[in-house]
Amino acid sequence: MKGLLLLGFVAAVIGRVPDNQYARDKVLRLKPENEQHLQFLRDVAPALKMDFWQPSSLELVTTNRSVDLRVPAASVSETQFRLEEIGLKYDVLIDDMKTLMENQFDQKDNNSTNYNYEKYHQWIEIESWMKKITNENPRLISLFRIGKSYEYRNIYILRVGKRTHTAKPAIFMDCGIHAREWISPAFCQWFVMEAVQSFGRNCTMDTLLNKLDFLIVPVVNVDGYVYTWTKDRLWRKTRSRNPGTTCVGTDPNRNFDAKWCSIGASRNPCDETYCGSHVESEREVRAVANAIRKYKGIKAYITMHSYSQMCLFPYSYTYSLAPDYKELNFIARNAVMVLRSLYGTRYTYGPGSLTIYPSAGGSDDWAYDIGIKYSFTFELRDLGQYGFLLPESQIKPTCEETMLAINYITSYVLRHPY
């Protein structure tokens, strides 16, 4: 009991923002309308060390699409003055980053003996949870190590499904590709919890677990995720070292072999969308890709991200429509409709390049191109009020509504084999 209490205390302390990091930083939503506005962003944003939240890099900024930009406290006054001077309209989404980070932890854990799925958990807790839930449900869950991260942490996969003597089709789901998107690993844990608690009590879940295996990677980018708890809450990339530069990390969702580094990705190691030195240069990416290549029965690939409230499907690396566009669009439309039915949350849907922005090297495009037809990316809550700092009070509703969409997609896959 003392050990559990101490672990909870450590998690709470580590999860807070170090010193005055991000104090009085703001997130602005800009609405560039002309070339002058775009030129301002090209000239001023890098000089003032602004951080693009949506889209993920300066290269993807276009007119008539909003831009969410974190502005350091020291640059706020100058930035707002310049924006008003050139008539670039903006809204303040987040007024003080540090305050919002501290308020993100808003759920009290009144029962430290049980795993609280309505809280964010640091990696050591998630790793312990995976082992515990596997041991408690041996006929439903198996745990495997699929690789090691750059800093030699284990990368795990949970196989969830009723044991049979014959091979079953599988759904591959990963979370935590981008380190700062905490709601993503929270959903993977929620999904496993729902599977365990619903099995034998829910007809839909019984059918899915009897006839499918779910291959779940709760945290892909383990090193980056740990770094968001210990050093920098807004870290996005991996933690690999890049020879010839002091800049660290690669964007794992630009590192897959899907028209690698051709569009919406950077060859500059200092950029947030750095595509890496070569395809699958990142151990984390290689671990996921090898696991998918090894398991021959995967029929759907689902990857969880945040934020924007979108259900995306291939392609992101080209504006051309995928051969299965009509069917994927039909599935995505129905998935977001059933998601909306619970709390009224509105999601948009469509091909990644047309719906959010073009980007090469993404995991969903790669999965689709190797033959996994049902390939989807979810961008979970919200629309920018909290962005990557979604408070714990929204974990439950986010996961509950997303479960409806995932159940719809996986049930569709089961009814439409290929």
Side-chain angles (χ1 to χ4, degrees), residues 72-292:
S75 306
V76 167
S77 296
E78 179 183 354
T79 300
Q80 291 179 315
F81 173 80
R82 295 285 299 277
L83 292 174
E84 291 164 6
E85 187 178 44
I86 64 173
L88 206 174
K89 298 176 183 177
Y90 70 90
D91 296 313
V92 179
L93 295 183
I94 299 174
D95 191 57
D96 187 331
M97 288 283 298
K98 185 181 180 184
T99 298
L100 186 57
M101 287 179 181
E102 291 172 342
N103 291 340
Q104 188 179 26
F105 297 87
D106 56 8
Q107 292 287 329
K108 292 182 179 180
D109 192 354
N110 295 320
N111 186 359
S112 59
T113 60
N114 294 325
Y115 197 82
N116 191 338
Y117 292 91
E118 296 181 45
K119 290 186 66 66
Y120 294 118
H121 293 276
Q122 60 171 312
W123 171 245
I124 191 173
E125 294 176 291
I126 297 173
E127 187 174 35
S128 177
W129 163 80
M130 283 190 283
K131 295 175 181 178
K132 186 174 186 291
I133 201 166
T134 300
N135 290 335
E136 291 175 347
N137 301 275
R139 291 182 293 181
L140 198 61
I141 301 179
S142 302
L143 177 66
F144 304 94
R145 181 175 65 83
I146 60 172
K148 283 189 175 290
S149 68
Y150 181 84
E151 295 176 344
Y152 293 100
R153 294 181 176 90
N154 289 327
I155 303 170
Y156 295 103
I157 193 167
L158 290 163
R159 185 177 65 192
V160 183
K162 186 179 179 182
R163 294 294 147 260
T164 64
H165 298 295
T166 57
K168 295 191 292 181
I171 311 293
F172 195 101
M173 183 190 304
D174 62 42
C175 294
I177 282 184
H178 289 140
R180 63 190 177 186
E181 299 168 8
W182 284 8
I183 188 60
S184 170
F187 176 75
C188 266
Q189 294 166 77
W190 188 281
F191 180 89
V192 176
M193 176 271 290
E194 282 280 353
V196 169
Q197 294 186 0
S198 299
F199 188 64
R201 302 187 183 102
N202 180 287
C203 291
T204 299
M205 188 60 75
D206 282 358
T207 300
L208 294 175
L209 295 176
N210 282 329
K211 296 184 178 181
L212 295 170
D213 278 334
F214 290 86
L215 307 174
I216 313 291
V217 183
V219 185
V220 173
N221 184 5
V222 184
D223 296 342
Y225 186 73
V226 170
Y227 197 75
T228 62
W229 280 83
T230 56
K231 298 292 184 181
D232 184 350
R233 173 63 184 85
L234 295 179
W235 187 259
R236 168 185 170 93
K237 300 189 288 182
T238 61
R239 292 296 301 165
S240 58
R241 302 303 182 266
N242 298 307
T245 178
T246 58
C247 295
V248 173
T250 288
D251 183 342
N253 209 37
R254 301 295 187 276
N255 194 234
F256 285 82
D257 190 9
K259 294 293 188 292
W260 175 78
C261 221
S262 59
I263 188 172
S266 172
R267 294 184 184 271
N268 182 349
C270 299
D271 288 347
E272 294 279 40
T273 55
Y274 176 51
C275 59
S277 58
H278 57 273
V279 167
E280 293 183 21
S281 62
E282 303 310 285
R283 294 177 182 173
E284 298 82 357
V285 170
R286 200 155 59 246
V288 169
N290 284 339
I292 292 174

Side-chain angles (χ1 to χ4, degrees), residues 248-368:
V248 173
T250 288
D251 183 342
N253 209 37
R254 301 295 187 276
N255 194 234
F256 285 82
D257 190 9
K259 294 293 188 292
W260 175 78
C261 221
S262 59
I263 188 172
S266 172
R267 294 184 184 271
N268 182 349
C270 299
D271 288 347
E272 294 279 40
T273 55
Y274 176 51
C275 59
S277 58
H278 57 273
V279 167
E280 293 183 21
S281 62
E282 303 310 285
R283 294 177 182 173
E284 298 82 357
V285 170
R286 200 155 59 246
V288 169
N290 284 339
I292 292 174
R293 283 188 286 253
K294 181 179 178 181
Y295 201 106
K296 302 304 181 184
I298 297 173
K299 299 301 181 181
Y301 172 79
I302 303 172
T303 181
M304 312 305 295
H305 290 257
S306 73
Y307 63 97
S308 287
Q309 294 177 194
M310 295 178 175
C311 178
L312 309 172
F313 52 85
Y315 286 113
S316 291
Y317 63 63
T318 178
Y319 291 110
S320 299
L321 298 181
D324 300 292
Y325 164 77
K326 288 185 178 180
E327 185 178 14
L328 295 175
N329 195 66
F330 172 82
I331 297 169
R333 181 180 69 234
N334 289 340
V336 301
M337 285 177 60
V338 71
L339 183 153
R340 181 183 170 188
S341 68
L342 189 59
Y343 293 111
T345 308
R346 293 179 178 270
Y347 271 54
T348 53
Y349 62 93
S353 60
L354 299 172
T355 309
I356 185 167
Y357 46 69
S359 59
S363 62
D364 56 351
D365 282 357
W366 172 79
Y368 182 80

